[in-house]
Amino acid sequence: MKKIQMVDLKSQYEKIKTIVDASIQEVLDTNTYINGPLVHQFQKNLEDYLGAKHVIPCANGTDALQIAMMGLDLKPGDEVITADFTFAATVEVIALLQLTPVLVDVDITNMNIDIEAIKKAITPKTKAIVPVHLFGRAANMDAIMEIAAEHNLYVIEDNAQAIGADYISKSGVKNKVGVIGHVAATSFFPSKNLGCYGDGGAIFTNDDKLAHVIRGIVNHGMYERYHHDVVGVNSRLDSIQAGVLNAKLPLLDEYNEARRLAATKYNAAFAGNAHIITPEFDANENDHVFHQYVLRIIDADRNALMQHLLDKGIPCAIYYPIPLHSQKAYVDSRYKEEQFPVTNQLVKEVIALPMHTELDDEQIKFITDSVLEFLNK
């Protein structure tokens, strides 16, 4: 059996080596390292794929979130609501901009931001909501956009984990996640569903005026060289990474389908086990693209299971072991433990198994057999 990886980028690269190597060589031959033709080509290709009017590439996903908020001209003290159960980058940029993060609980069934918790958290200072499409599953954007419209709020989609996922609205309209809110941010970190070979990110929006502002922000506030019209940052996607992403983008749907197929096999193997709650998804829809495959372990020792898997050479991880409201950097007297019952439960139960495009049946069987061996003993 091939060695099991949490993410097997080497095997994935071997299948696209020729086109990736040619793209990198093109950059080396033309010396177009920053904002070269491959960056513009990737921008256009991703706009076409997403159905977005504007894609603005940048240096990484965290920058993408920060720049999106800067483009909306949020002011210090403005409140931004987001999920307590997610990676710290989401709240990090809120704090960096001297905005006020408002953390709320998540839904037990899908681990995405809880709609009723959003409603309870809104105050006169609230200016934006940041739903995170966690682990690759679309948040409830119908409800979120309705709340935003009612209270005149911006919606900033954190799409770092769900690029390529579809969201079917209650009216039957299908959109890619990331083009539903006012603006969205994504990451092209190597392990993402669409990942480069370094850091990279992008901002999406259908708002022409906002796109113009953001294009200035990513490039030191310049629209014309040495003319600084807005306060900006230095955050640009380099041409080599754009070349890698151009090679992978035509395969993104295939990659996501491979992830869903692996998740289907995992779920089938674990079906009926009293100690396991598997992720819910519709195998016929593209609403979950499984950036991570995350189980909940019930009435069993999750940490001991993790060690059991590691001892067998099976990589696994806990996303996320500490709620954001309990992190030293974000502790705040406004938060009470009773506000976060679901998050506090999930951090004790979740475990992520290997999930990537190269998983084969032999590996999946070994992983699932090993999990069941521990839980059934």
Side-chain angles (χ1 to χ4, degrees), residues 215-242:
R215 286 197 177 94
I217 292 173
V218 300
N219 191 31
H220 297 291
M222 294 189 294
Y223 301 98
E224 180 182 350
R225 193 164 177 82
Y226 301 125
H227 292 253
H228 303 275
D229 295 350
V230 296
V231 175
V233 297
N234 176 23
S235 186
R236 296 168 298 204
L237 180 69
D238 73 71
S239 297
I240 287 177
Q241 303 309 331

Side-chain angles (χ1 to χ4, degrees), residues 35 111 132 158 168 220 248 256 266 359 366 371 375:
N35 280 338
M111 306 187 200
V132 181
D158 184 336
I168 302 175
H220 297 291
K248 288 188 174 187
N256 286 343
Y266 272 139
L359 278 172
F366 182 70
V371 171
L375 293 176

